[in-house]
Structures are given as structure tokens and as C-alpha cells.
Amino acid sequence: MKFTLRIWRQRGPRDRGRLVDYPIEISPDASFLEMLDVLNERLAGAGDEPIAFDHDCREGICGMCSLVIDGTPHGPEQATTTCQLHMRKFADGRTITVEPWRAKAFPVVKDLVVDRSAFDRIIRAGGYITAPTGTAPEAHSIPVPKPDADLAFQAAECIGCGACVAACPNGSAMLFTAAKATHLGLLPQGAPERYSRAVGMIAAHDELGFGGCTNTGECTAACPKEIPQDVIGRLNKDLLRAARHHDPGA
Amino acid sequence: MTVHNPYLVGAPLADTKAPAGPIENRWTTRKFEARLVNPANKRKKTIIVVGTGLAGGSAAATLGEQGYRVIQFCFQDSPRRAHSIAAQGGINAAKNYRNDGDSVYRLFYDTVKGGDYRARESNVHRLAEISTQIIDQCVAQGVPFAREYGGLLDNRSFGGTQVSRTFYARGQTGQQLLLGAYQALMRQVGAGTVELHARHEMLDLIMVDGVARGVVVRDLVTGAIGSHTADAVVLATGGYANVYFLSTNAMGSNVTAAWRAHRHGAYFGNPCFTQIHPTCIPPSGDHQSKLTLMSESLRNDGRVWVPERAGDDRPPGDIPEHERDYFLERRYPAFGNLVPRDIASRAAKNVCDEGRGVGPGGLGVYLDFAEAMTRLGPDVVKAKYANLFTMYERITGENPYRVPMRIYPAVHYTMGGLWVDYDLQSTVPGLFVIGEANFSDHGANRLGASALMQGLADGYFVLPTTIGDYLARTSAGEVPATAIEEAENRVTATIDRLLSIRGDRTVDSFHRRLGHLMWEYCGMERTAEGLRKAAELVPALRAEFWSRVDVPGSGTDLNQSLERAGRVADFLELAELMVIDALHRAESAGGHFRAESQTADGEAERDDENFAYVAAWEWNGPDRPPILHPEALEFEYAHPSTRSYK
């Protein structure tokens, strides 16, 4: 297959950046990232600097790959990370535009690489259950109803890629934050810190420059793990309750 | 180095840290005998942890909780990306929740046997003991393991065992366990006990009088070289399967930190023990960058087969039942499709070698769910394996609900790694190595669902005890500026050299070539002849690398070619050692199958008389033969027997 790749090149955070066209010929069985590998190999062979992009496991689970492809985070295929997107999904001969995540809280590092450390800071602000090592009770002493476990699991599947932020017109990380609040808040082990967790994570979220949530739903549509929008409702409910009854630290 | 004398033999190694006495008491005794650091002094002790996977993440979180000052590094943009996240299947624990006769002793026994009697009994027993605590810890953290309708934890079975002791979170167990450790870690970062540096790569050790006292790291964004000193250094940097270029490892997985420690005197244990995983998606073309593993748990319900007749290229649905060969069930009736990984991989290779493989190039066997769909119904199959089926369809374009999956073995896990004693300390004092980066516990073959168990056992429970003993016994002084300067100079010199060659070949072209050589001569089946050939070809490739590689860009910003170049340079050196180790071990054991050492019916033939030892290798310079230090293995409990799964 033949494509024209129109790729965002930006030398560093202070460079203005521009789109550059690269023709490429590639097997339909290649993944999107393998296509970039092939292009990079060609650039390196010609002594040019390859295009920087983030990727690691290439199995759709580490959340490190990104890329806005033709305006959509992770490209056109539903519920798919860029590393799991294959070229057979594109019409031959097309021009494909490739850009980095764009959000205030995710500054560009170089080319297609952005800094997503803000997500770690949200987790740091309460996205955990306080369970120091070696103090845990016997696992079977905490039964969890299967429906709760399944819902918690669904929220826990978030891979922290940031597609939700890239897709959101407000640059909000509400889906990411709410997924973690839902995962932990649904489990009996997570109940004691449920409200302080919600309050802490949201405070960090806002402070880090993520925008507010207006329920446009672009986040869920772009999420490669199909985290449902309900989680945002849950987080909002937790926040309301926290404001009315709970944590004085809120 | 001459091919006639590829290595020297040095003094044997004795691991003296495991207490004597009955095996079930050894860890308890060691914990009691370990000296303690009082809480006020813990604040004054600094520990560096390199890597944030299951082992590194859990270790740093726990050490932080204990009150130590921890400095941690990972090369990814976040600790949550460590490759442990991609482990699919599950984690073993001897909880006996299924009342099927499981016990700590049985898990211990299965693991020693599964490792083909090339692991240490004391370590393995400790691992089995701790396994139950790991599940408790993870559940308390909110890891959403699969549950029964009664609210209790569900289990399934895995390759190499006949009991159901594997805890799982759909096909994403590694992800959920890692996120548990990551969250515990971020809590400590928030509490200020752990100082975290993402996008930093360790490039050298700082050594003072033979003791590890810090690391030199490169900030991968700015290119800045920096130094951090500590009272002890912990490497939790994973395995080196990417030496083969194509493997199931993440693209960034590498051996650099471990290898550079090796160059400072940390012995490398059993480097030739590589696990080939039987259930991976076959490669599709030259663009291939990695191979994708499909969880071994699929073999619980999927049946493995090939056509009876060589060259039968009918679509699978057109091949009648009586013309199919369910070769695992036929050859290993007791374990069937659940034989351990080394056995399943080799059996698949054999049928492909006979010309009965399926798919492109005949490099594949079927993993068929048709029978399970009839027996369990599509909904149950979907509930159990949906995400794996989806992943398979994305990659291959085929729907596994309708046609059988095609699978082929691929390089997956490395049982070798830096040698450690019972305390997980390397031969460099002050340097501890945990998780896949060390050689211990799995012997010559790792059982499914045991990698996650070892990573977390080391990180949450073993290291935090044993490192305390080391810290209580040593009082580290100031690190002299000259030691830091020397280490930084070494790093800068290597980077400058890589950037100045400006040759005519890319980094990846060397990596691919190396991978090809290793798969060909040091892959699933090894021969003395092939290994001797590799012992000439690999050093030649290394020489070519240092004269012809072209690393574009500079050292002062994000330069992914430069990162890879350094890692490939280390893989090239490691590969030589793997070949020498494989050549010297003239027996078949687990993942190391020497064609000259097999029984009449094609099974691996171990040689306990001559090889019941760990081969720990000492670095002796880049072009000098390494020195072999054997550590004899004694089996008091799990008596070596022929490993039979028939």
C-alpha cells in the first residue's frame, strides 16, 4: 500500500513545529507504528533525524503510544490503541495526518512525544488504597459481589494513554480521573477513602491545567478501552457527597 | 579470544545466606536473623531503585513505607508503563482455595521440577511461601481479581500444573497488579519518601572500593548526564529477551543497567536460559517489530493441532477430525495442552519441521476453540477470553470465533540474569537485583504465572527484609568525587563514541542481524556446531557495529536512536556470553535444548552428573574469555527425576 504521511515535526518545546509530508510504501499487515519504524529506518539511513514518538509494549496495554491520526486520538478504529491499528484499515493512496496529543496539561517534548506526567500527579493525589505492605488480611475475608467486581474491573482497565484528554474540547482528564475513582470506590477495600480520594484527585486535576468536564462524550468515544461515561457521573456524585457530608479536608 | 578456549574456569560460588535446617523454616529463620535498622536511622539511608515494574515498583513502595529515602528511575514516561503491565495470564499462589490438594510444598515442588532442577530449593520454597501473602496484599490494594458469584476469588490452571492455583484479572493480570504497585508507589511519591525520575536511563554504576554506591543516569529528554549516590542500589530492570530483536518484550526492554553492572563485577547467571513461549501470533513480514503473546491460559480450552499429513493446505474447517493431529494430547496424555512452555514450544516446532505447520511459511499450529464453543457456549468463551480474541483479530485480520487461531513459539522470558545470593545481593556488595533481572527461582524454565509471583515476592517481601540487614551491617561513608567523575566520564565517552562513528548502517539493522543470528544458532534448539559458528559471527558483528553504525542527532536532547544504540551495543556483548554459556552446557535443560542431548523419543536429556549447577559468569574484559564460577545445586527435597508430562 502507498500513503502520504503528513507528520508533525517539532524540535523541542520552544520550536513552532510544522507538518512535513513523507511518502511511504508498506504492507497492509504492518501496524501503524511499524510503518513509522520503516519510515524512521529510511530517514536514519539517509542521515536524517528519525521522528520521535512514544511507544513501548505494542500490545495495546502499556498506554505509552499516542498520536492523533486524521484528527482522532489513536486513529479511526474504535477501541484500538495506535500500536494495534493496522494499515489494512486505511484506504490505499491516502494522505494521513499524524499529530501529537494537544492539551495544555500535556506539553510537547519533541515531534509526536508529549509529557503526560500530569496523570501521575493525579494518582499521587489519592488514586490508591492505603494498604501498607504486609498488613493485609486474608484475601477471602473481603468478599466482593461479582457485579461490583466486574464494574470495578471495567473502570480499572484504563491504560492512562491520555486519548480522553486529547479528544476533549476542554482538555479535561475527567474520564481518566473518574475511572480510577470508580475502580477503587466500588470495592469495599476502597470505601474508607472514597470521598477524600475523589476530592484529592479532582483538586490535582484542576491545578494541573486540565479543563472542566462538560459531558460532551468525546473522551469515551476516543477511549481505546471503552471506559464508559458513567464513571464521570460516579465521580461527580462522590464529589457532591464529599462537599455535603464528608472530609473536612475537602 | 580463540574459539578453542572460549572461557576460563574460576573458583566455585557458594551461596551462604540461606540458613540451614528444614526448608520450611529457612525464610523465617533468615527474617529473624536479619539485623534491623531503627526507624530514625532509616531516614538517613538512601536506596536507589532502577526500574518500576512489579519488582521495582513494589520494592520502592515498600521501602518508602518503611521510612527509607528512595530514589527511583524508569526510562518510560511513567512508572505505570513498565512491561509487567503486559503480562496477561495470572499469578500463582498456594492458597488451595479450590481444595484440589495444593500446598506451599506442591507449588515449591512444581516450580523446581518445572525449572528442570536448575533452581535453588531454598529460594523456590520461599517464593511458594510468600505467594499467599501476595494475593492478600494485592486484594487489599484493590486489584480487581476475577470473582465467583459468592464474592470469593476465582482461580484457573496454567501450563505445567494440575491444580488450579492461578489468580487472574481477565487477560490483564499484569496490568492490574502493576497498577496496584504503581498506586502504592505514587502514594509514597506523594508522601515524599520516594523521589521519582521518569524518562531517565541508568548507564553506569558508581563504585567505591568494589561497593555499589550510586548510578549515573541520562535524562532522556535533555540528554543531561547526572549522578545519584546511595547506601545501596537495587536493579529491577527486567529481562533481556530483546537480544533476539523479535520477542514478546516491550520495545524498550533492555539489558543495559544489568550489563553495565556485570562489567563492574556482578556475575551473570545462566544467560543461555531463555524461555520460548508456545502461544504467540506468528510473524507476518519483514516490517515486524515485535511478536505478540497470547496468554497461555488459552490452552485451558483451546486445543492445539496440525493436519495429519504434511503439505495439507486445506482450510482448517475442511480438514475432518480424523485427519487432524492433536499432537500435545497425543504425546502427553496426562497434561495434554497444558504441558509446560518448553515442551509445548518444541512440540510445535517439531511438527512444523515435519512440514505440517499452517499459515504463511508453515510456521504455525492451530489453537482451536471449536470444541470449547460447543461445550461451554460462545458466551462463556467470550467472557473468559474476549480481549485476547479481539487482539488476535486486530493483528491477523482473522476472527478466532470462526476459524482457529494460528500460533507459533516466540522468545518471551529470560530465566538468566545477574547472579544473586539468598538475600538477592549480587557479587557486587551493595548491589541487589530483583525480579526478572536476577537469575534465581525459575531454573531453566519458568512455569506460567510465576513471573508476576517472583516480581512481587522480591519487591514486597524479600528485598525489604534483606536489604535492611545489609544496611544495618554497613556504614557507607561519603562517595568521593573522583568515583562519580570516573563513572560519568565512562558514560560520556561511550555516548561520544557512538555519535562520532557516523558510519553507513542504522542501529536497527545491527539489532535485526543480531536477533537473526541468535534465533538461528541460540534459539529453540541449539547445536554445538551452530553455537561455535555464532561464537565467531557475533563478535564480528560487534566489531562491525563499532565501525559502521550511524547514530543521527545529538546527545543533548531526546534522541531515540542514541538510546537504542547504547542498548544494542550491550546486547551484542551479552549475546556472546549467551552463546558461550549455551555451548558449555552440553545438556538439555528447560529452555535450553541441545540437539545432541535428547532421548530416543525426542525429549530433553538432562545431565545431572555434570551440570547440576548454576553457571555464574565473571566479566573479564571485552575481548577476553569470561570466567565460569559454578554454584553447585543440591536437591534435598525435590529429587531430580526425569521430567515427564506423559
Side-chain angles (χ1 to χ4, degrees):
Chain A
M1 301 176 88
K2 284 185 178 165
F3 299 103
T4 301
L5 299 174
R6 181 161 292 169
I7 299 178
W8 185 258
R9 301 297 309 256
Q10 184 173 345
R11 275 188 287 272
R14 275 181 293 276
D15 181 33
R16 284 192 54 177
R18 68 242 156 257
L19 287 162
V20 181
D21 283 2
Y22 301 94
I24 185 113
E25 195 168 345
I26 193 77
S27 155
D29 287 331
S31 73
F32 202 90
L33 300 185
E34 284 169 345
M35 176 179 64
L36 292 181
D37 292 341
V38 170
L39 173 61
N40 273 345
E41 193 62 3
R42 192 177 86 201
L43 293 175
D48 294 329
E49 231 190 302
I51 298 149
F53 63 98
D54 268 332
H55 61 96
D56 204 18
C57 80
R58 297 201 176 186
E59 293 183 25
I61 190 78
C62 77
M64 187 134 171
C65 64
S66 50
L67 308 187
V68 174
I69 300 166
D70 284 342
T72 308
H74 292 300
E77 204 184 358
Q78 280 285 304
T80 306
T81 54
T82 300
C83 67
Q84 295 290 293
L85 177 65
H86 286 72
M87 297 321 295
R88 67 174 83 90
K89 304 284 179 180
F90 290 86
D92 202 1
R94 280 192 47 183
T95 296
I96 304 172
T97 308
V98 189
E99 299 164 273
W101 280 178
R102 294 202 189 280
K104 187 182 164 199
F106 289 165
V108 172
V109 175
K110 184 176 181 174
D111 295 337
L112 303 169
V113 174
V114 301
D115 177 358
R116 283 170 285 190
S117 56
F119 271 10
D120 292 329
R121 299 177 87 89
I122 291 176
I123 298 298
R124 207 169 92 175
Y128 48 78
I129 290 172
T130 301
T133 308
T135 62
E138 199 332 289
H140 265 183
S141 67
I142 319 170
V144 181
K146 188 165 162 55
D148 290 357
D150 287 350
L151 272 179
F153 189 93
Q154 187 185 41
E157 282 189 284
C158 169
I159 57 174
C161 65
C164 48
V165 178
C168 178
N170 306 329
S172 174
M174 196 63 171
L175 192 71
F176 168 81
T177 309
K180 189 45 64 190
T182 300
H183 159 210
L184 299 176
L186 273 168
L187 298 169
Q189 307 90 297
E193 293 168 297
R194 180 170 166 186
Y195 301 103
S196 58
R197 177 183 306 120
V199 170
M201 285 202 294
I202 276 299
H205 171 278
D206 295 350
E207 200 175 298
L208 287 159
F210 290 106
C213 172
T214 49
N215 280 305
T216 50
E218 291 291 339
C219 51
T220 304
C223 176
K225 298 297 158 183
E226 300 185 297
I227 306 289
Q229 216 180 329
D230 319 1
V231 296
I232 295 177
R234 283 182 182 277
L235 175 57
N236 281 329
K237 202 167 84 182
D238 285 356
L239 288 169
L240 262 175
R241 284 214 192 141
R244 285 169 54 190
H245 304 295
H246 273 86
D247 193 355
Chain B
M1 183 174 83
T2 71
V3 178
H4 307 289
N5 186 21
Y7 67 93
L8 308 171
V9 180
L13 265 178
D15 166 38
T16 54
K17 300 272 182 59
I23 197 160
E24 60 274 16
N25 296 342
R26 288 178 195 166
W27 178 231
T28 310
T29 308
R30 183 73 193 105
K31 278 192 284 187
F32 179 72
E33 284 175 353
R35 286 206 201 163
L36 303 173
V37 180
N38 94 50
N41 285 339
K42 280 183 180 156
R43 289 195 291 276
K44 298 177 202 152
K45 301 279 186 186
T46 303
I47 302 169
I48 286 173
V49 180
V50 186
T52 58
L54 283 177
S58 59
T62 305
L63 294 168
E65 278 164 25
Q66 291 184 344
Y68 293 108
R69 182 171 169 254
V70 180
I71 308 176
Q72 192 172 31
F73 304 93
C74 68
F75 67 77
Q76 298 92 341
D77 71 325
S78 161
R80 66 180 292 145
R81 316 270 187 228
H83 192 53
S84 308
I85 204 152
Q88 296 166 357
I91 177 165
N92 285 332
K95 284 283 199 186
N96 195 31
Y97 283 166
R98 284 300 179 89
N99 192 29
D100 54 7
D102 201 10
S103 63
V104 166
Y105 197 83
R106 190 180 295 276
L107 175 52
F108 151 75
Y109 188 89
D110 285 352
T111 308
V112 174
K113 177 189 171 199
D116 230 344
Y117 303 94
R118 292 293 173 264
R120 263 187 219 144
E121 282 193 332
S122 304
N123 285 53
V124 176
H125 196 278
R126 172 174 68 188
L127 179 67
E129 265 174 89
I130 290 174
S131 68
T132 59
Q133 257 183 297
I134 294 172
I135 301 303
D136 297 342
Q137 176 64 27
C138 295
V139 165
Q141 286 173 343
V143 170
F145 284 119
R147 298 262 168 182
E148 308 268 16
Y149 280 95
L152 301 180
L153 294 153
D154 193 9
N155 295 112
R156 61 185 174 196
S157 54
F158 246 69
T161 59
Q162 288 170 308
V163 292
S164 213
R165 64 160 72 105
T166 305
F167 294 77
Y168 67 101
R170 283 189 211 154
Q172 286 127 275
T173 317
Q175 179 197 24
Q176 294 308 320
L177 295 174
L178 182 73
L179 292 181
Y182 158 75
Q183 286 161 202
L185 171 65
M186 293 319 289
R187 176 173 163 242
Q188 293 307 312
V189 173
T193 61
V194 178
E195 177 186 316
L196 179 70
H197 301 269
R199 291 202 198 267
H200 277 70
E201 180 163 50
M202 170 183 155
L203 293 178
D204 218 325
L205 266 184
I206 296 170
M207 300 286 293
V208 179
D209 301 330
V211 177
R213 289 301 311 281
V215 296
V216 180
V217 292
R218 179 166 180 269
D219 178 332
L220 299 180
V221 174
T222 66
I225 302 297
S227 292
H228 296 263
T229 59
D231 296 273
V233 177
V234 181
L235 298 187
T237 49
Y240 51 84
N242 274 347
V243 71
Y244 289 90
F245 186 75
L246 286 185
S247 85
T248 64
N249 281 200
M251 302 300 287
S253 298
N254 67 85
V255 78
T256 287
W259 191 254
R260 297 195 182 175
H262 174 61
R263 280 168 149 257
H264 286 292
Y267 294 0
F268 211 108
N270 297 335
C272 80
F273 287 167
T274 308
Q275 180 160 82
I276 314 287
H277 197 289
T279 56
C280 299
I281 300 178
S284 69
D286 293 339
H287 55 266
Q288 199 90 26
S289 61
K290 73 161 292 182
L291 295 168
T292 301
L293 180 148
M294 302 296 291
S295 169
E296 184 176 36
S297 65
L298 291 168
R299 289 194 281 139
N300 272 307
D301 289 304
R303 298 179 70 196
V304 176
W305 65 275
V306 288
E308 190 78 58
R309 181 167 56 79
D312 187 342
D313 55 5
R314 287 176 290 175
D318 293 355
I319 302 178
E321 202 59 32
H322 67 274
E323 289 181 48
R324 300 176 176 190
D325 179 13
Y326 294 90
F327 55 94
L328 292 178
E329 297 169 37
R330 173 174 56 82
R331 286 182 61 178
Y332 307 98
F335 282 69
N337 293 299
L338 286 173
V339 290
R341 294 170 174 185
D342 57 329
I343 310 256
S345 295
R346 214 162 43 246
K349 181 179 189 291
N350 289 341
V351 295
C352 292
D353 289 350
E354 290 162 19
R356 300 195 286 146
V358 298
L363 297 177
V365 300
Y366 290 126
L367 177 61
D368 195 341
F369 287 85
E371 189 265 343
M373 298 280 262
T374 315
R375 179 168 46 88
L376 304 168
D379 289 348
V380 175
V381 171
K382 200 170 182 180
K384 279 172 119 167
Y385 306 115
N387 68 317
L388 299 170
F389 278 37
T390 309
M391 186 164 87
Y392 182 85
E393 184 170 8
R394 289 235 173 82
I395 294 173
T396 63
E398 292 172 7
N399 180 348
Y401 292 100
R402 291 206 202 103
V403 293
M405 290 183 177
R406 286 174 296 107
I407 54 166
Y408 195 67
V411 175
H412 177 49
Y413 187 92
T414 46
M415 283 74 69
L418 292 182
W419 185 91
V420 287
D421 62 21
Y422 187 71
D423 282 357
L424 307 183
Q425 186 170 209
S426 72
T427 47
V428 170
L431 180 71
F432 292 76
V433 189
I434 60 177
E436 191 181 351
N438 75 27
F439 88 102
S440 73
D441 297 17
H442 306 301
N445 180 46
R446 177 175 65 77
L447 289 181
S450 288
L452 306 184
M453 177 172 68
Q454 188 216 341
L456 292 180
D458 286 1
Y460 281 132
F461 299 104
V462 182
L463 177 89
T465 303
T466 60
I467 204 168
D469 181 76
Y470 171 80
L471 294 170
R473 284 168 196 276
T474 48
S475 64
E478 281 287 298
V479 176
T482 48
I484 297 173
E485 210 173 302
E486 272 170 33
E488 287 185 356
N489 287 344
R490 279 193 300 269
V491 166
T492 316
T494 305
I495 290 173
D496 289 348
R497 193 173 159 207
L498 285 168
L499 288 168
S500 67
I501 298 168
R502 300 285 173 208
D504 60 350
R505 284 188 56 182
T506 63
V507 175
D508 269 20
S509 72
F510 283 100
H511 196 179
R512 278 177 194 273
R513 174 74 186 140
L514 175 68
H516 181 78
L517 289 178
M518 292 303 282
W519 179 251
E520 189 70 19
Y521 299 116
C522 196
M524 220 183 316
E525 189 171 309
R526 295 131 188 219
T527 65
E529 194 195 344
L531 289 164
R532 272 196 288 269
K533 203 164 174 187
E536 287 176 18
L537 293 172
V538 175
L541 186 65
R542 176 164 61 87
E544 197 182 337
F545 174 88
W546 285 105
S547 65
R548 287 185 63 188
V549 76
D550 179 34
V551 182
S554 80
T556 55
D557 74 337
L558 182 76
N559 185 341
Q560 293 169 328
S561 303
L562 177 62
E563 292 166 28
R564 279 203 292 274
R567 295 170 192 164
V568 171
D570 294 330
F571 278 139
L572 282 160
E573 289 184 359
L574 164 73
E576 285 179 56
L577 187 64
M578 289 172 73
V579 167
I580 290 168
D581 186 40
L583 185 58
H584 113 278
R585 191 170 282 275
E587 65 158 352
S588 292
H592 170 65
F593 187 81
R594 278 286 291 268
E596 303 89 352
S597 186
Q598 57 180 308
T599 61
D601 57 350
E603 300 298 338
E605 194 155 36
R606 226 175 43 229
D607 178 355
D608 290 331
E609 200 146 318
N610 295 303
F611 292 101
Y613 61 76
V614 171
W617 296 94
E618 181 184 355
W619 172 255
N620 192 22
D623 289 300
R624 298 164 60 103
I627 304 163
L628 169 68
H629 298 272
E631 178 206 333
L633 293 168
E634 282 159 34
F635 296 93
E636 295 171 66
Y637 295 88
H639 296 294
S641 58
T642 303
R643 205 158 61 96
S644 172
Y645 295 89
K646 297 204 170 181

